[in-house]
Every structure is written in structure tokens, then in C-alpha cells.
Amino acid sequence: MHEMILCKLGEVVLKGLNRRSFEDKLMSNIRRRVSKCGEFRIYSKQSTIYVEPQSDECDMAAAYDACKKVFGIICVSKAVPCAKDVQSIIATAKDYLSDSMRCARSFKVESKRADKTFPLTSIQLSQQVGGALHQAFPMCEVNVHDPELTVHIEIRDEQAYVHGPSEPAAGGLPLGMGGTAVSLLSGGIDSPVSSYMIAKRGVNLEMVHFFSPPYTSEAAKEKVLSLAKLLVPWCGRMTVQIVPFTEIQEEIRRCCPEEYFTLIMRRFMMRIAQRVADQIHAKALVTGENLGQVASQTIEALGVTEDVTTVPVLRPLIGMDKEDIIRLSRKIGTFDTSILPYEDCCTVFTPRHPRTRPHLDEVREAEADLDIEGLVERAMKGREFVRLKF
Ligand code: ATP
Ligand code: MG
């Protein structure tokens, strides 16, 4: 018996003329993800991508888990091929699904025939296989309306397939189809989630993190790298650009009115992220900003912040409640790391009374004495690059 993984395409099937390129991208993304788990043949037929192990050494459990996190796939299941005759199909189903049949209280069989020359109709095939399975596992009742377990049989050109239960996968669109964006990654709860959400729409990410030693510690930086590593199975390989931010923050404190500290600092983050985007030809910036969460995230403050950018600033969390953000952060596995208590450069030199309704002209005026170009230039020069792979 030789098991394989079936990945069902999600939104990709709604694509028109360019569907082929979405499928090709998805297959190459799957190929890259499972390459660590052994040698697999990967091909697509009728809205399904088949991931077929080529040797007994393949780590099927790891490959299955990897496929569940590939954007573009809506659900995954395992299946076993067999000869296209009813007796082989029954024998395979009994053997392959014995554990699931023993655990479920009810089941039904659903058959699909891609090969219309097969001598039985789908209904006849379901009835025969269903009857044989019920005889073999009498504790499991037939229930065609609301079964606990659905046994899928597919008759394809060369062989038949018996599926195990399917599980939900990542959804979204294949990584890379939406180009590249620069994501501003802090150590908090929000920005790992915003990164995940934009990657899910098919966008490759380059991460930028600002750190301010000695105000922020080495441990805080390590925490951000741990978060980035947790994102790799979803967002793919990435580079984290770590930008020294101390000089900028000290200059702001020295030269600018306290009520504007945070806003001016955020404008520097955006300027630097914009430079990075220009260098790598990224088409947008991504932040974890959320309307009204803090003083620097009012509508007016967001306007002041994005004033210094030319590419769109994507803020996928803008209208979400914190509860929903936390739920997502638990789902993708970043929450427990995000809540570790380390400082962020945003919490250094915070004003006692930040402006919540800033005027752009006043902010521009407030930063006019700074050597903006020189500060940005030196921060860019001081970057450290950390490359993360699967
Ligand atoms: P998070 O939970 O992601 O830290 P937050 O609620 O703490 O977000 P802020 O600290 O105001 O919000 O930051 C808003 C956004 O700015 C973050 O979501 C992130 O995209 C970006 N950001 C903040 N601090 C940094 C940093 N040190 N490096 C890179 N980006 C940052
Ligand atoms: Mg933060």
C-alpha cells in the first residue's frame, strides 16, 4: 500500500486565464516545502495536486504537515491508489481506513468517476463499497445526511483512489503571485499576524526590525528572530533586516518636542522601510497597526506616518478587535513568543502626553532640525541581515 497526499486547490480555481500560472507556482511552492521530507513526485489534475512519495524513506507525516501550511491549498487528505475494480477498492478501503472506521459512529461513501467508462455508476459504486464496509465494521452506521466519516472513492484514468478524512489547510493564494512587500516586524502580538495575513494573499515578505541598543536588549532582538522563524512555515524563506535605531531615537529626543516623539520615530521607520522596498523592488509596506489601539494609530496619526512613503501601506489588522488578533496569533503559533516580556524601541522615550490628533504641518516643522537624510543613510548602512530558511 503506497500512500500519497492530495492537496485541494482553494481560490486558485476561480482564476481565469492565468490559473495555470497560479497552479505552477503552487506546485513549485509545495515542491520546495516537501523537499526536506524525501523525494516526491508532484503533479496536478482536476483541481487537485498530488504529492506522491518516491521511496519508503519519505517522511509522510512531516510532508503532510508542511502541505497544510502552504497558501493556496484549501484542504488536504491522504489517499491510497489501487486497481480500478470493485474488489480491490473494497479491500483497500477496509485495510487503509480500518482505524477511522473503528472510531467513527457513522459513515457514508462518496464516489467520483473521472473515467466514465468505469462499469458502475458513482451511486452503484458507493452502495457496493458502503455495504462491504458496513459488513466489515458493523458498529459504524451508514448515514448519508450527516456522517462522522466520509469515505471518498475516485476513479481516475489510470487508477482508483481511496481517501482518508480531509483536513482544512491554509487557504489563501500561492506565495509569490502577489509580488513582494516589506513587513515591519516588532516583537509584539500584532505584526506577526499582519505579516501572516499579507503572505496569505500570495505576497512574499522581507522583514524589517528596528532595534535600539542599549535601550533594547539582545534578548529582545532574539525574540523577534524567533517570531520570524515561527513565521517561515507560513510565509516562506525570508530575510530579516535588523536596523540600528538608537541614533535616530536619541536625536529625536534631543531636538524634537516630546509630544511628537513617537510620530517622528514612526516616520523614520517608514522612510527606512520605504528605502528597503525600493532596493528590493517591493511594492508595499505592511504594519500591524490597528485603528485607535494607541495614540499613534488614530486616523490623523496614520496619515502623518504614511506621509513619508510612496508605496501603499497595508494594514490588515486595521479594523480587527484585539481578541480576534490574539486568536489568529495562537492559531499561527506566535502568541506565546509574542507575550514574552521584552522591551521594543517603541516603548523607549515614550511621550507622557502624545498628540492623538496631530497636524502634518506641525510634525514636519517639529522634525525640521534633524539631519533626516544622514540619519536614514547611517541606519541603512548599519543593517544586519539574517536569512531564514525552512
Ligand atoms: P506589535 O504588537 O506588532 O508590536 P503594537 O500594538 O505594539 O504592535 P506599535 O508598537 O505601535 O503597535 O507598532 C505598530 C506597528 O509598527 C507594529 O505592528 C509593527 O508593524 C511596527 N513596529 C513597531 N515597532 C517596531 C520595530 N521595533 N521594528 C519594526 N517594526 C515595528
Ligand atoms: Mg509593538
Side-chain angles (χ1 to χ4, degrees):
M1 199 164 61
H2 130 131
E3 195 178 42
M4 57 174 74
I5 300 165
L6 307 191
C7 304
K8 227 172 159 28
L9 302 189
E11 264 178 64
V12 170
V13 300
L14 303 175
K15 298 289 165 197
L17 291 176
N18 50 2
R19 170 169 170 178
R20 187 74 238 170
S21 58
F22 276 81
E23 272 190 48
D24 288 346
K25 183 57 120 183
L26 184 51
M27 282 196 286
S28 86
N29 290 349
I30 296 174
R31 196 166 289 122
R32 189 175 310 122
R33 296 298 174 95
V34 301
S35 65
K36 289 279 179 307
C37 314
E39 195 192 326
F40 290 85
R41 189 162 88 89
I42 293 162
Y43 51 97
S44 108
K45 273 186 207 166
Q46 294 161 327
S47 304
T48 303
I49 291 176
Y50 294 72
V51 181
E52 190 180 332
Q54 299 298 291
S55 77
D56 292 338
E57 273 90 73
C58 289
D59 184 344
M60 284 296 281
Y64 185 70
D65 278 341
C67 288
K68 276 203 273 190
K69 292 185 173 155
V70 175
F71 292 129
I73 299 172
I74 195 156
C75 66
V76 287
S77 61
K78 292 181 199 152
V80 168
C82 64
K84 276 165 49 172
D85 64 76
V86 180
Q87 287 321 311
S88 309
I89 294 170
I90 290 173
T92 305
K94 272 193 208 167
D95 183 22
Y96 181 49
L97 299 177
S98 62
D99 286 345
S100 315
M101 287 296 297
R102 273 195 202 98
C103 295
R105 273 165 302 187
S106 60
F107 82 106
K108 76 168 172 180
V109 178
E110 234 176 63
S111 306
K112 259 206 287 206
R113 293 185 320 158
D115 170 13
K116 301 295 180 200
T117 65
F118 190 74
L120 300 180
T121 66
S122 301
I123 293 174
Q124 288 168 333
L125 178 60
S126 296
Q127 283 170 342
Q128 291 199 16
V129 177
L133 284 176
H134 185 50
Q135 229 174 22
F137 305 94
M139 302 299 283
C140 192
E141 296 294 335
V142 176
N143 177 346
V144 291
H145 299 297
D146 186 24
E148 236 173 71
L149 173 71
T150 302
V151 174
H152 292 272
I153 311 289
E154 272 183 85
I155 309 291
R156 300 243 168 178
D157 290 343
E158 287 122 50
Q159 359 189 39
Y161 294 87
V162 176
H163 295 228
S166 67
E167 277 186 85
L173 292 171
L175 269 179
M177 291 312 287
T180 303
V182 171
S183 185
L184 286 83
L185 184 66
S186 70
I189 295 171
D190 301 334
S191 49
V193 175
S194 55
S195 304
Y196 159 86
M197 285 176 73
I198 294 302
K200 185 175 178 189
R201 299 313 297 168
V203 178
N204 279 323
L205 297 179
E206 178 94 359
M207 301 296 188
V208 169
H209 175 67
F210 300 93
F211 85 127
S212 291
Y215 307 106
T216 65
S217 63
E218 199 57 29
K221 184 166 107 183
E222 285 308 315
K223 171 186 171 180
V224 172
L225 289 174
S226 307
L227 285 171
K229 276 181 205 144
L230 291 169
L231 287 170
V232 167
W234 301 104
C235 305
R237 5 171 226 191
M238 60 174 72
T239 299
V240 185
Q241 301 198 8
I242 301 174
V243 185
F245 210 51
T246 313
E247 188 196 3
I248 290 175
Q249 290 198 275
E250 286 179 339
E251 275 299 284
I252 295 173
R253 182 174 60 169
R254 199 172 65 81
C255 304
C256 305
E258 182 185 332
E259 59 182 348
Y260 291 123
F261 279 0
T262 308
L263 277 173
I264 295 174
M265 177 197 72
R266 297 203 57 77
R267 284 162 65 86
F268 272 95
M269 287 187 174
M270 292 308 215
R271 285 187 187 101
I272 292 168
Q274 174 72 58
R275 289 284 171 98
V276 172
D278 293 343
Q279 279 186 350
I280 64 166
H281 308 293
K283 306 259 172 1
L285 309 182
V286 181
T287 78
E289 287 163 315
N290 172 255
L291 198 57
Q293 193 182 76
V294 286
S296 57
Q297 293 172 26
T298 62
I299 293 179
E300 292 84 349
L302 295 175
V304 165
T305 307
E306 70 185 15
D307 165 57
V308 295
T309 63
T310 54
V311 291
V313 181
L314 307 179
R315 302 179 172 102
L317 311 186
I318 197 71
M320 285 172 73
D321 286 348
K322 196 74 187 184
E323 252 178 88
D324 298 326
I325 300 171
I326 289 177
R327 193 171 311 125
L328 258 176
S329 118
R330 286 188 197 279
K331 177 187 142 172
I332 64 174
T334 51
F335 182 75
D336 292 338
T337 305
S338 286
I339 59 173
L340 295 175
Y342 294 113
E343 61 293 334
D344 180 64
C345 64
C346 281
T347 54
V348 176
F349 311 147
T350 45
R352 280 159 297 182
H353 302 290
R355 282 290 291 271
T356 53
R357 297 191 187 285
H359 291 286
L360 185 52
D361 293 342
E362 288 171 19
V363 180
R364 285 181 179 162
E365 173 73 31
E367 67 185 17
D369 287 343
L370 296 171
D371 169 21
I372 293 175
E373 192 48 41
L375 287 166
V376 168
E377 198 53 46
R378 286 192 289 283
M380 288 292 284
K381 278 220 179 77
R383 281 174 297 169
E384 179 193 341
F385 296 79
V386 181
R387 295 200 164 73
L388 301 175
K389 292 194 200 152
F390 295 109

